[in-house]
Amino acid sequence: MEYTLVFLPLLGALLSGFFGRLIGDRNSEILTSLLVSISAILSFIIFKEVTLNNYENNLVIFKWITSGLLEVNWSIKIDAVSSVMLVVVCFVSSLVHIYSIGYMSHDPHKTRFMSYLSLFTFAMLMLVTSDNFLQLFFGWEGVGLCSYFLIGFWFKKDSANKAAIKAFIVNRVGDFGFALGIFLIFYLFGTVNYDEVFSQIPQYINNEISFFYISLNAINLICILLFIGAMGKSAQFLLHTWLPDAMEGPTPVSALIHAATMVTAGVFLVVRCSPIFEYSQLALNFICLVGMTTAFFAATVAIVQNDIKKIIAYSTCSQLGYMFFAAGVGAYNVAMFHLFTHAFFKALLFLGSGSVIHSFKDEQDIRNMGGVWKKLPYTWILMIIGTLALTGFPFLSGYYSKDAIIEFAYMRGNFFGTLAAYIGIFTALLTAVYSWRLIFKTFHGSYENKNLKIESIHESPHIMVIPLIILAVGSAFAGYLFKELFIGPLSSENFWKDSIKFIIPLTTDHPPYWVIYLTPIIVVSAIPISYYLFIKNKSITLWLVNENKPLYKFLINKWYFDELYNYIFILPSKKIGIFLWKNIDVKTIDRFGPDGISSIIKKLSDKAVKFQSGYIYQYAFIMLIGFSALLTYLIIL
Amino acid sequence: MNFPFLSSLILLPLIGSFFILITKPGKNTNNKSAKYVALFTSFSNFIISIYIWYIFDPHIFDFQFVENKSWINGFINYKVGIDGISILFIILTTLISPLCIISVNNTVTNKLKEFLIAILVMESLMIGVFCSLDLVIFYLFFEGGLIPMFLIIGIWGGSRRVYSAFKFFLFTLLGSVLMLVAIISIFWINGTTDIVELYKTGIHVKYQYLLWLAFFSSFAVKTPMWPVHTWLPDAHVEAPTAGSVLLAAILLKMAGYGFIRFSIGLFPVASEYFIPLIYFLSLVAIVYTSFVALMQDDMKKLIAYSSVAHMGYVTLGIFTMTQQGLEGSIVQMISHGLVSAALFLCVGVVYERMHSRLIASYGGIVSIMPRYAVLFMIFTLAAIGLPGTSGFIGEFLILMGAFKKSIIVATIATLGVILGAAYMLWLYKRVIFGKLNNIELIKMLDLNKSETFILVSLAIPTLVFGFYPEPLLNTIEVSINNLIDTYNYQISLIE
């Protein structure tokens, strides 16, 4: 069953990729969707087995690398954490496959697109089912590669290509840390298998290691390095710059890769490595800090953006921040829970926005929309469900997971936890404001598009709406249904078991009432306030913008990160490249090396040539001088 | 097992080239019989080498298939034999050579017969390098390889071919002369040039340092290591496609092989002493040339510089003296042999259609050459070292080995992974993606059958060894183990 689950998407990718032309567009669309859907059904069965029957498994497919101590297998590991990820990945992926049939109907490269989607799914499955760090790294890079392909899917657009490369390179910066983390793990433990590493951790908590002449605790260093990898993949503060640009890819891609699955791989990594992270308070605090910074930063930027997809992208960034600080306070299961619910409502929002963009004939600027809620009734309602769930409106899924994060952070009792809780509450307010701004500007108010007549706006086809409905059901009820299983008081013993390690058991105390009630109140009251600000009385927002020009510019330029990186990394790299090439290679090594030697030889031979003038009298003269010199020498002697 | 397998491997291409010599000098462009003879001989060589690999026993570390004949009485023996390390390089050689000959179909129009002879002679000599067990024989093969390469660049090269050919010759000869002196001194010191004998007796420590430096000067140029790398970009740019392929895929590997077989095998104490030097030069090669590669506007130069960076990983891995590092280096060399060959062929494909190597003259060709784009992508990814390609196995093992020795060195070397992705993907983007701006490009045809065949036969091992490198790792494991054990034993004797 596990084999089928993992390899069906690969089969789909290969068939569609290599024989796409042979079997036709429509057939390959149906084929890939069908295969991934079968995987999705299997993933539910496995999830059910894991929850009800405590099913666990660790299959070895075949040997990958053996070199000295290093032994790595291709493997499939099923436990609580990976079964949750399987459901998220396969379920969202199958819906996105189906949705894409409608969304990409006018694209000439359908088979290529479906092939990439399936390949991505396969890579993601390899990532989550790995039993060792190396296969995890394979999946990690594999999803990065597919992300690169899909961001740059419209290869004629220069901006898409640039965004694709940017995504790959920024992720590579993260991978740099991740790879060093793996090296260090192998160096210390002589193995890269999870179980073998995790079982040895307690013996190594006091190991010191010298890193650039600074003595550091080995476990701290491993955790920080692994987390740098997670920061790259999950677009956390400082390594987040690629995610908004990644919106150049087709919208289904944004929903699958840049919202529901790939970007959560970083969270998965931290949760998976909880047996290591639990021993490093330093790394946990760092994660917490980075998480809350990202949550806050991305939310502030999202408020002023005008591109519908970029708003949701920053929102994703911000929600990932929530997941990380949840993990940072040791509430790994809550992080997984938010990952799980977030997959539903964020995929819903992205696919919904895709439906809007589709209707508006590829318009993405929300200033050019508005007033179309009657024209797009399904999309409108479904997007509102997604927004309610995202903002944490009571009893929808985001309410259970996000509030749980804030509560657990508060109850952790340390400085970072409390700070994270406050920032979490404030960010919840920002989240509500930007989300409702998006809804109101897109669907309400007056129609602002000058290029399209409002009559030409029409609802998307069924094949796009049905996946949205399924996701909306998930967004509404997933939180309520799975709350006990994921974060209930007995979740650790009954469900997570060994897959997540808690050294300090999570508190079961009740947080103070104001913490429980504050967030929902803020979130609910944000709806009328946003409506007033963005629809009824726009002059207030205009006034705010005009009064705070520098702040507004700072936000709309995303805190100037792109400019900063361009200035300190990209331009110097180019200059260094030119300098080393022109000045060192050509002007120094070659000039004094081969060219220098050959020119010296040439000069010497030029001199030697002068002796051979061919004039007899010159030769005779030289001979005479030589003869007389010799004679003089002999006489004097 | 008395059949002289190795000698026949060495001799077969020579015999083939003799037959080419006597084929009728028909019209240069259509010299079919010569091509068939060349293809037949090199392909049979490939089959034989695969058979040797099949009957090769990876569980013993002694040299196998040894042939020993007296050549100059009491002085030099013609002695050949292979262990787990050499067999892989021999197969790389016999795989690349027929592919080169097929690629000649389209690229070389002038003096085809002589070109094929040069390639076959080259193949003989290179196989000779990888299986000689006598220093003098090794030197003959090693330096003999220079001559056909010099001719290939100098006769069939581009516009600055003479400059490049001389630069190539000057650099490589300079190092080799010192190696010759070292070989002669070894004969005076130990009274033999037989490598197996020398392994057993060892060379006295006081001579090791100078001898190591002499060998190093030759290998460093061939690798090439910084700062004696500047001949490589020039040689690649001017060489015809097949020449670049041979140069990148095999000629450079002779140096890496030399480091393992001679520097480490014969002079362990000196090797240990000079490790910091090697690390320093390797790191400079990795970081420095990656930066330089980033800014190249000529495709061949870019790939040439990336070769320098990749070989930097190889030298780094070899001198980690760890199982992972050494095995990684060998896998990296095999992988680089496949990938750089393929990348130069990829450049050759478009060069032949457009007669430009400049990146700026291309762009957007994915829509007219989709098959080419896919294959080019596979090799780009392998060059980046993406998991699932052979490049990853090599690079990752090397870095793992390096990490054991020095965290700082491994960290700096890992930086190259970021830069490598940057320059390769940027190259790919500018050539393959984007809008089709140059109108002349529309006339380009996608890969023809022979081109597809060549690139696919390189892509298959690249991917297979990425997912299942065990055939490579199994073959070298015992030999590497033995090498490290002997090395550590010799070091411990000193202390």
Side-chain angles (χ1 to χ4, degrees):
Chain A
M1 189 156 67
E2 287 88 350
Y3 284 107
T4 328
L5 191 159
V6 171
F7 288 103
L8 279 185
L10 178 66
L11 181 71
L14 294 177
L15 287 178
S16 170
F18 289 112
F19 306 103
R21 244 177 253 171
L22 212 67
I23 56 179
D25 284 356
R26 182 40 56 94
N27 287 336
S28 60
E29 281 168 353
I30 293 171
L31 182 76
T32 47
S33 307
L34 187 70
L35 293 176
V36 175
S37 303
I38 296 173
S39 287
I41 293 166
L42 292 176
S43 74
F44 280 117
I45 296 173
I46 287 178
F47 183 65
K48 198 192 99 204
E49 289 292 309
V50 173
T51 36
L52 299 181
N53 301 334
N54 301 328
Y55 177 73
E56 273 185 19
N57 206 349
N58 194 349
L59 298 165
V60 172
I61 305 172
F62 59 82
K63 262 190 193 172
W64 186 13
I65 306 175
T66 44
S67 171
L69 282 175
L70 180 71
E71 275 185 37
V72 185
N73 295 317
W74 293 106
S75 58
I76 301 180
K77 181 187 171 81
I78 304 289
D79 63 0
V81 172
S82 61
S83 71
V84 172
M85 291 304 285
L86 284 180
V87 168
V88 169
V89 173
C90 294
F91 179 63
V92 177
S93 175
S94 60
L95 293 178
V96 166
H97 270 80
I98 296 166
Y99 177 92
S100 302
I101 298 177
Y103 191 83
M104 300 299 281
S105 56
H106 303 300
D107 198 278
H109 301 288
K110 295 187 199 74
T111 55
R112 188 160 63 93
F113 185 77
M114 299 313 270
S115 166
Y116 288 162
L117 280 186
S118 289
L119 189 65
F120 167 80
T121 311
F122 169 70
M124 195 68 206
L125 292 175
M126 290 306 274
L127 192 161
V128 298
T129 59
S130 168
D131 74 351
N132 60 69
F133 284 98
L134 223 53
Q135 186 188 329
L136 176 75
F137 193 70
F138 167 81
W140 194 265
E141 295 273 289
V143 291
L145 174 70
C146 296
S147 156
Y148 165 80
F149 283 146
L150 285 164
I151 296 169
F153 183 73
W154 287 313
F155 55 80
K156 284 183 183 158
K157 268 165 80 182
D158 197 44
S159 56
N161 288 322
K162 279 193 180 140
I165 291 191
K166 187 173 175 185
F168 200 93
I169 306 287
V170 175
N171 268 300
R172 272 265 155 152
V173 176
D175 295 347
F176 165 74
F178 190 13
L180 287 178
I182 298 176
F183 300 149
L184 185 55
I185 286 171
F186 179 68
Y187 173 69
L188 280 181
F189 307 113
T191 171
V192 292
N193 280 14
Y194 293 149
D195 294 340
E196 291 164 29
V197 172
F198 295 160
S199 62
Q200 291 183 56
I201 293 283
Q203 302 151 28
Y204 282 85
I205 26 177
N206 292 320
N207 260 42
E208 298 281 316
I209 202 154
S210 161
F211 189 71
F212 282 85
Y213 305 109
I214 305 164
S215 188
L216 295 171
N217 179 288
I219 303 291
N220 280 342
L221 189 58
I222 289 179
C223 291
I224 300 274
L225 288 171
L226 290 181
F227 180 61
I228 290 173
M231 282 170 73
K233 193 87 354 191
S234 294
Q236 291 299 289
F237 193 65
L238 299 180
L239 294 179
H240 64 277
T241 52
W242 64 272
L243 185 61
D245 289 22
M247 297 300 125
E248 288 288 343
T251 309
V253 173
S254 314
L256 176 62
I257 301 185
H258 306 122
T261 56
M262 184 185 85
V263 287
T264 60
V267 182
F268 168 77
L269 174 69
V270 174
V271 174
R272 176 55 93 201
C273 297
S274 58
I276 313 180
F277 280 96
E278 273 299 86
Y279 289 95
S280 169
Q281 194 52 46
L282 179 78
L284 285 180
N285 288 343
F286 182 60
I287 292 174
C288 197
L289 186 67
V290 170
M292 62 181 142
T293 314
T294 314
F296 172 72
F297 151 78
T300 59
V301 176
I303 283 192
V304 298
Q305 296 301 309
N306 290 314
D307 184 313
I308 186 168
K309 284 180 74 182
K310 288 218 166 137
I311 298 173
I312 308 180
Y314 276 107
S315 161
T316 306
C317 215
S318 172
Q319 298 303 310
L320 289 165
Y322 272 100
M323 294 175 209
F324 274 112
F325 77 67
V329 296
Y332 305 100
N333 54 342
V334 188
M336 279 306 280
F337 188 40
H338 196 51
L339 187 160
F340 182 72
T341 57
H342 175 258
F344 291 102
F345 54 73
K346 197 45 73 66
L348 171 62
L349 282 175
F350 260 121
L351 293 183
S353 74
S355 171
V356 173
I357 295 166
H358 196 69
S359 316
F360 273 95
K361 305 267 181 295
D362 297 330
E363 177 59 64
Q364 300 198 7
D365 194 324
I366 53 170
R367 286 171 300 187
N368 298 332
M369 298 176 181
V372 290
W373 63 276
K374 276 187 190 154
K375 285 278 176 188
L376 306 170
Y378 296 117
T379 310
W380 174 66
I381 292 198
L382 295 167
M383 289 273 289
I384 283 187
I385 295 175
T387 304
L388 288 170
L390 165 69
T391 54
F393 193 82
F395 314 117
L396 294 178
S397 59
Y399 165 75
Y400 294 102
S401 56
K402 196 193 283 181
D403 283 19
I405 291 179
I406 294 168
E407 284 159 24
F408 275 105
Y410 186 82
M411 293 306 289
R412 179 71 176 201
N414 63 9
F415 169 72
F416 284 96
T418 318
L419 184 63
Y422 287 132
I423 288 185
I425 293 171
F426 184 64
T427 307
L429 171 68
L430 296 178
T431 309
V433 173
Y434 71 68
S435 305
W436 288 109
R437 172 173 174 263
L438 186 150
I439 293 290
F440 292 138
K441 284 223 166 197
T442 310
F443 292 104
H444 298 267
S446 53
Y447 185 76
E448 304 279 356
N449 197 313
K450 292 177 186 70
N451 303 323
L452 279 174
K453 286 207 179 99
I454 192 163
E455 288 78 29
S456 66
I457 305 287
H458 56 84
E459 186 58 271
S460 300
H462 291 311
I463 199 152
M464 286 165 69
V465 175
I466 291 167
L468 289 181
I469 294 173
I470 299 173
L471 283 171
V473 172
S475 308
F477 302 116
Y480 177 73
L481 290 176
F482 292 100
K483 174 180 61 136
E484 280 306 310
L485 183 70
F486 279 67
I487 56 171
L490 296 173
S491 59
S492 178
E493 294 97 72
N494 288 346
F495 181 56
W496 301 108
K497 300 193 190 71
D498 295 338
S499 64
I500 295 182
K501 188 178 176 94
F502 300 99
I503 292 187
I504 309 166
L506 288 173
T507 170
T508 47
D509 296 348
H510 257 280
Y513 281 106
W514 68 268
V515 177
I516 299 178
Y517 291 117
L518 184 58
T519 329
I521 291 169
I522 289 176
V523 164
V524 175
S525 53
I527 305 173
I529 295 174
S530 314
Y531 188 71
Y532 184 74
L533 283 179
F534 298 114
I535 298 295
K536 282 285 167 202
N537 196 347
K538 288 183 190 170
S539 56
I540 297 180
T541 43
L542 273 179
W543 176 80
L544 272 175
V545 167
N546 284 329
E547 283 297 297
N548 302 300
K549 267 269 155 102
L551 179 67
Y552 179 71
K553 275 206 150 167
F554 182 65
L555 292 181
I556 202 153
N557 284 307
K558 308 140 196 169
W559 294 27
Y560 290 106
F561 268 107
D562 284 332
E563 288 76 9
L564 185 71
Y565 285 173
N566 192 33
Y567 195 71
I568 57 175
F569 293 121
I570 299 169
L571 292 180
S573 298
K574 290 186 174 178
K575 279 199 183 132
I576 291 171
I578 295 272
F579 174 81
L580 293 177
W581 175 28
K582 299 277 185 195
N583 289 352
I584 309 279
D585 259 22
V586 177
K587 285 193 187 151
T588 311
I589 297 176
D590 276 359
R591 189 165 144 216
F592 296 108
D595 296 356
I597 291 171
S598 57
S599 73
I600 288 171
I601 291 172
K602 190 156 183 299
K603 269 184 201 152
L604 287 178
S605 68
D606 281 349
K607 294 244 167 73
V609 163
K610 284 190 185 140
F611 285 108
Q612 297 152 29
S613 58
Y615 296 110
I616 303 285
Y617 66 88
Q618 279 184 356
Y619 292 170
F621 185 63
I622 300 284
M623 276 168 74
L624 196 67
I625 291 174
F627 184 68
S628 47
L630 194 68
L631 214 62
T632 326
Y633 178 74
L634 286 175
I635 291 169
I636 290 172
L637 211 90
Chain B
M1 214 179 284
N2 292 324
F3 185 79
F5 277 110
L6 296 178
S7 297
S8 45
L9 270 186
I10 297 172
L11 284 177
L12 203 60
L14 284 180
I15 297 169
S17 58
F18 172 73
F19 276 106
I20 293 175
L21 199 63
I22 59 169
T23 51
K24 236 167 82 188
K27 285 226 168 115
N28 276 331
T29 43
N30 194 17
N31 212 336
K32 274 207 176 138
S33 47
K35 249 182 267 171
Y36 286 139
V37 173
L39 204 56
F40 177 74
T41 39
S42 59
F43 190 70
S44 359
N45 235 17
F46 176 63
I47 301 289
I48 298 173
S49 65
I50 290 288
Y51 179 69
I52 294 177
W53 193 17
Y54 174 69
I55 57 175
F56 177 84
D57 182 356
H59 303 296
I60 39 179
F61 56 78
D62 281 330
F63 287 94
Q64 302 177 36
F65 304 99
V66 175
E67 297 163 36
N68 196 354
K69 292 192 182 63
S70 175
W71 180 22
I72 301 174
N73 215 353
F75 176 45
I76 303 167
N77 289 335
Y78 168 80
K79 186 170 181 185
V80 290
I82 51 171
D83 65 355
I85 302 167
S86 4
I87 178 73
L88 292 183
F89 289 100
I90 290 174
I91 287 172
L92 182 68
T93 314
T94 55
L95 169 70
I96 297 290
S97 301
L99 296 181
C100 269
I101 290 166
I102 301 174
S103 82
V104 163
N105 258 348
N106 314 303
T107 43
V108 175
T109 47
N110 179 28
K111 297 188 188 145
L112 181 64
K113 242 173 75 170
E114 288 77 2
F115 192 78
L116 292 173
I117 292 174
I119 289 182
L120 286 178
V121 171
M122 188 93 183
E123 185 183 357
S124 281
L125 295 171
M126 288 181 298
I127 295 171
V129 166
F130 295 127
C131 57
S132 43
L133 288 182
D134 187 288
L135 283 173
V136 179
I137 301 290
F138 169 78
Y139 183 80
L140 289 179
F141 284 126
F142 193 78
E143 292 312 309
L146 270 184
I147 300 162
M149 199 63 225
F150 175 72
L151 294 176
I152 287 175
I153 299 174
I155 298 176
W156 291 275
S159 49
R160 285 174 78 229
R161 57 179 179 261
V162 176
Y163 171 78
S164 298
F166 273 100
K167 200 170 175 183
F168 165 72
F169 205 79
L170 205 66
F171 262 112
T172 40
L173 197 70
L174 206 72
S176 307
V177 171
L178 292 174
M179 185 165 80
L180 180 64
V181 175
I183 291 173
I184 296 170
S185 349
I186 289 176
F187 181 75
W188 287 117
I189 296 163
N190 277 39
T192 178
T193 50
D194 185 323
I195 292 167
V196 184
E197 285 294 309
L198 287 170
Y199 276 168
K200 272 185 204 143
T201 52
I203 293 172
H204 196 283
V205 179
K206 68 177 176 186
Y207 304 114
Q208 280 197 13
Y209 300 98
L210 272 180
L211 293 174
W212 189 92
L213 280 174
F215 274 81
F216 169 75
S217 65
S218 173
F219 297 147
V221 170
K222 276 250 168 69
T223 309
M225 296 177 83
W226 188 85
V228 284
H229 65 283
T230 58
W231 62 271
L232 187 77
D234 279 314
H236 271 308
V237 166
E238 296 307 323
T241 303
S244 286
V245 171
L246 285 177
L247 186 58
I250 307 164
L251 224 64
L252 303 188
K253 307 301 171 297
M254 304 199 308
Y257 175 78
F259 274 126
I260 296 175
R261 178 73 75 230
F262 302 105
S263 298
I264 288 179
L266 294 178
F267 323 116
V269 180
S271 295
E272 185 75 17
Y273 179 78
F274 286 112
I275 279 179
L277 173 74
I278 295 274
Y279 282 0
F280 173 72
L281 294 181
S282 306
L283 289 183
V284 173
I286 292 169
V287 177
Y288 175 109
T289 47
S290 298
F291 273 116
V292 177
L294 202 58
M295 294 318 293
Q296 297 303 311
D297 39 24
D298 180 314
M299 290 195 260
K300 266 191 156 180
K301 258 196 173 161
L302 195 155
I303 298 168
Y305 273 111
S306 84
S307 286
V308 180
H310 281 119
M311 292 308 285
Y313 282 109
V314 171
T315 45
L316 175 65
I318 291 172
F319 283 86
T320 60
M321 291 313 304
T322 55
Q323 186 106 22
Q324 287 83 26
L326 272 161
E327 290 188 2
S329 290
I330 291 168
V331 176
Q332 172 82 343
M333 279 195 268
I334 301 295
S335 159
H336 179 256
L338 301 168
V339 173
S340 65
L343 285 174
F344 279 116
L345 285 163
C346 283
V347 176
V349 165
V350 285
Y351 178 73
E352 188 196 313
R353 289 161 171 72
M354 286 291 294
H355 299 283
S356 168
R357 289 184 311 261
L358 293 182
I359 298 170
S361 27
Y362 298 95
I365 56 180
V366 60
S367 38
I368 40 176
M369 301 173 75
R371 230 181 304 163
Y372 174 73
V374 171
L375 285 161
F376 195 1
M377 183 41 105
I378 292 175
F379 298 117
T380 304
L381 296 175
I384 293 174
L386 205 83
T389 65
S390 55
F392 169 73
I393 312 284
E395 225 167 70
F396 215 77
L397 286 177
I398 289 169
L399 292 171
M400 263 185 173
F403 201 91
K404 276 191 185 168
K405 278 279 164 152
S406 158
I407 296 180
I408 299 176
V409 168
T411 309
I412 297 172
T414 313
L415 275 179
V417 173
I418 304 174
L419 291 168
Y423 64 72
M424 283 312 291
L425 287 181
W426 200 30
L427 166 75
Y428 190 83
K429 178 211 140 189
R430 284 178 293 171
V431 174
I432 304 289
F433 290 145
K435 280 208 186 81
L436 200 66
N437 285 330
N438 189 343
I439 304 159
E440 286 177 38
L441 292 173
I442 296 172
K443 282 182 277 178
M444 297 210 298
L445 297 172
D446 205 351
L447 300 178
N448 60 31
K449 269 184 196 159
S450 65
E451 287 163 342
T452 315
F453 174 79
I454 298 170
L455 291 178
V456 168
S457 23
L458 290 169
I460 289 171
T462 308
L463 291 176
V464 167
F465 292 141
F467 285 95
Y468 190 64
E470 285 296 300
L472 302 180
L473 295 173
N474 271 340
T475 312
I476 53 181
E477 192 185 355
V478 175
S479 302
I480 294 285
N481 254 332
N482 179 44
L483 184 72
I484 295 175
D485 288 347
T486 336
Y487 180 89
N488 288 336
Y489 174 70
Q490 298 261 1
I491 301 282
S492 68
L493 282 187
I494 301 306
E495 288 155 2

